[in-house]
Amino acid sequence: MKQMRQTRVAAVALAAIIGLAGASSCSSSSTSTEGTPSTATGADGVEAEVASFTAAANARGYVVQDGVPVKTNLNDLYCDGSMWAPLYPNPNAPYISAVLPQVPGQAPTVARNGSFRLREDEAVVVIGETPPPMAYFSFNFHMLQGSLDPAIGPPILWIPVADPVSSLTLAKTGSTPFNQPFAVVGTGQAQTLNDVHEMLSAAGLGSATNDQSISPSLFELGLGEGSDEFIFAMRTAIPENTDEFNSYMDGLRKEVRVLRVRPKSTDEVDQVQPVLAADPLPVPHQRVSGTGTSELDLNPTLALLRQRVVDKYPGYTATDLPVDDWFDAPYPGLQLNKVTDLPEQDGVAGATTDATYLASDNFTLPEGAFLVAYGPNHEATGKSTYSSVAVYADADLGAGLVTVQSPSLQGSARDYIDDQPDADKFYAWTFSRSGDAGDGGDAGDHATQLPTGTFCAESGRPVDLNTLRVGFRAYAEPETQTHPAKTELLYDRLLMFTPK
């Protein structure tokens, strides 16, 4: 929990200290006028909301500092030397993080890549417009102990602080979660949270406000060297219109604003000490997985699918590669100090409570061999909002090579079980270095070529492309709005075919 207090090497802060926003002093108990619910969209709407919020914050004696949202690719951060490993990113599902200004007098951050410390009475407030229609998006704050800096290295304890705010759970002003004004508040202080709610109401965002409690019961808030560090992360997956999504990402600075908000200190040079008395928020309630309905009655069809796949390639030896649990659950992982230190320990590694994770062990793919991943398409069975299969390289790194998501997987099992009524509830997908199934047969459109050559083309940082691992994700069961229960899933499977 709070015990992974290793000696930390001070690192250069990611963001220069930004000057304080002007603040006029008045009692923090003053009330705000409820604003008209925001219906504005686009950059102009976001700017107007931020301006109204900042004015309300200043009127209550709060300081507002502006951060910067950042498109984040963990593979790229490894290749450019910013991280010691990519740590199993979800390929083709872009992330957004944020860089926040530091508070005058605070201890430097060492976790890197947008990490920040949080004063006991501070809040991080994200205001913006949600992305265009897609399968899933979410917002989450995470705690980091240790450092992603290659000069410091593993281990790292990386824990989401609460269930994410997702496209399934978002408080919003319209009937759809997409292209809507929103606000997300991360804080551990009850009075600060109440005050920020008033400020957001004044900006017309009262009905679009979503909270993430960063409870002092679990996390060490403060700005000193012994305090925890945090990051903000937004996940996105499977946009309906790629051009619209790319436009959103390209205009990110206008679409999303990340603000650091705190009661104004009397000392302009050292603002480390909280202004408000302790008023800690409790650990938030967690959404409960499981509906009582499972995929398990599909097991006979799964067995038939396996046999049909094996029979298609008589010139190859088929080996079943075991698939089992992958990342540790966040709160148990926090209590048991489940650090990430590859290849020995996957730990929690920032895994969201919105997903169920399975994976193979690391293995070597021999020359001329290929893989077939198969199993239930969890989206098609109704057990997930979307699911995916991803291939990773290098046991020490977890570099993301390729992924195939459930819409693309749809119909692929018909290559083998077209005569079965449940065929469209399954998938079967080939991965090989040639992009096909070698001499054993034609994998058709349901195959993905694994990259060869140099992974980090510009920097040349090493990645062992011969050591692979396959990971499976099932995101957010619609009925429960959280990860599918593993006891209700028929597990994904993996076959390796080697020439006889």
Side-chain angles (χ1 to χ4, degrees):
M1 197 176 294
K2 296 181 182 178
Q3 64 256 46
M4 189 191 165
R5 305 287 181 236
Q6 304 174 344
T7 301
R8 299 180 180 182
V9 179
V12 177
L14 287 178
I17 295 174
I18 294 179
L20 301 179
S24 58
S25 298
C26 75
S27 170
S28 62
S29 62
S30 62
T31 58
S32 297
T33 302
E34 177 69 30
T36 302
S38 177
T39 58
T41 58
D44 291 343
V46 173
E47 287 300 316
E49 290 157 359
V50 170
S52 296
F53 173 82
T54 301
N58 293 166
R60 296 183 74 91
Y62 275 71
V63 169
V64 178
Q65 289 177 288
D66 203 355
V68 180
V70 180
K71 292 186 290 185
T72 302
N73 183 308
L74 300 185
N75 283 337
D76 289 347
L77 290 175
Y78 167 74
C79 287
D80 70 18
S82 298
M83 288 179 64
W84 48 265
L87 301 175
Y88 298 111
N90 191 352
N92 293 357
Y95 301 97
I96 297 168
S97 61
V99 175
L100 291 174
Q102 295 199 13
V103 176
Q106 76 158 79
T109 56
V110 299
R112 290 193 59 173
N113 294 303
S115 68
F116 58 89
R117 302 182 192 273
L118 190 69
R119 204 173 78 180
E120 292 87 339
D121 58 354
E122 273 193 299
V124 174
V125 181
V126 186
I127 294 175
E129 181 175 314
T130 57
M134 58 180 53
Y136 173 89
F137 67 80
S138 69
F139 309 98
N140 223 170
F141 290 94
H142 297 244
M143 182 274 291
L144 289 173
Q145 291 178 10
S147 181
L148 299 168
D149 186 346
I152 300 174
I156 190 166
L157 187 62
W158 185 350
I159 309 286
V161 303
D163 287 339
V165 175
S166 78
S167 46
L168 282 71
T169 65
L170 183 80
K172 55 190 179 296
T173 58
S175 59
T176 171
F178 309 111
N179 298 125
Q180 294 291 320
F182 78 93
V184 175
V185 183
T187 185
Q189 222 273 1
Q191 182 178 338
T192 298
L193 181 63
N194 290 335
D195 288 348
V196 169
H197 280 182
E198 292 288 337
M199 301 168 199
L200 289 168
S201 291
L205 291 167
S207 59
T209 296
N210 305 266
D211 298 328
Q212 280 231 307
S213 172
I214 306 175
S215 176
S217 296
L218 294 178
F219 305 108
E220 193 74 50
L221 302 183
L223 299 176
E225 290 186 357
S227 62
D228 285 330
E229 297 180 37
F230 302 91
I231 59 171
F232 169 75
M234 178 179 174
R235 286 177 162 91
T236 63
I238 317 179
E240 291 183 6
N241 185 304
T242 303
D243 290 339
E244 288 182 1
F245 178 65
N246 289 341
S247 178
Y248 178 86
M249 295 294 280
D250 290 342
L252 194 58
R253 183 66 178 83
K254 296 179 180 179
E255 302 285 1
V256 177
R257 299 286 293 277
V258 186
L259 309 173
R260 186 166 201 154
V261 182
R262 64 184 176 277
K264 185 178 181 180
S265 303
T266 56
D267 190 336
E268 294 290 331
V269 177
D270 187 344
Q271 301 180 27
V272 171
Q273 296 305 315
V275 172
L276 301 180
D279 191 5
L281 287 169
V283 176
H285 291 289
Q286 300 171 68
R287 295 188 285 273
V288 178
S289 65
T291 65
T293 301
S294 80
E295 300 171 337
L296 301 182
D297 280 331
L298 296 172
N299 190 52
T301 306
L302 179 68
L304 177 64
L305 175 58
R306 179 196 178 278
Q307 190 59 52
R308 296 274 181 86
V309 172
V310 171
D311 290 345
K312 184 172 182 177
Y313 305 111
Y316 289 75
T317 298
T319 302
D320 292 285
L321 300 181
V323 172
D324 206 339
D325 293 350
W326 194 357
F327 301 116
D328 290 289
Y331 284 169
L334 179 63
Q335 297 176 73
L336 298 173
N337 200 40
K338 292 292 187 178
V339 298
T340 300
D341 189 3
L342 304 182
E344 287 80 14
Q345 301 178 79
D346 293 323
V348 179
T352 175
T353 57
D354 263 7
T356 297
Y357 298 88
L358 302 171
S360 71
D361 292 331
N362 290 291
F363 60 91
T364 299
L365 186 65
E367 187 67 28
F370 61 93
L371 305 170
V372 177
Y374 69 99
N377 182 331
H378 303 297
E379 180 185 357
T381 66
K383 297 303 288 183
S384 71
T385 302
Y386 87 94
S387 57
S388 65
V389 185
V391 182
Y392 297 91
D394 200 318
D396 294 328
L397 301 177
L401 297 184
V402 295
T403 188
V404 185
Q405 296 161 321
S406 47
S408 298
L409 296 172
Q410 186 65 33
S412 59
R414 287 194 172 275
D415 293 348
Y416 305 93
I417 54 170
D418 192 43
D419 58 341
Q420 298 299 304
D422 294 329
D424 286 336
K425 293 182 179 180
F426 289 86
Y427 75 91
W429 203 270
T430 299
F431 298 93
S432 72
R433 295 189 180 100
S434 66
D436 209 335
D439 296 333
D442 182 8
D445 294 333
H446 303 137
T448 297
Q449 184 172 6
L450 299 175
T452 57
T454 303
F455 183 82
C456 297
E458 294 186 8
S459 68
R461 290 195 78 189
V463 175
D464 174 12
L465 295 178
N466 293 316
T467 302
L468 303 179
R469 191 178 192 186
V470 177
F472 305 88
R473 291 171 168 86
Y475 261 83
E477 186 168 7
E479 185 173 338
T480 62
Q481 301 178 334
T482 190
H483 63 279
K486 288 180 180 176
T487 55
E488 297 176 357
L489 293 183
L490 199 57
Y491 277 23
D492 300 75
R493 309 297 169 91
L494 184 64
L495 283 164
M496 179 167 68
F497 290 86
T498 53
K500 289 182 178 178

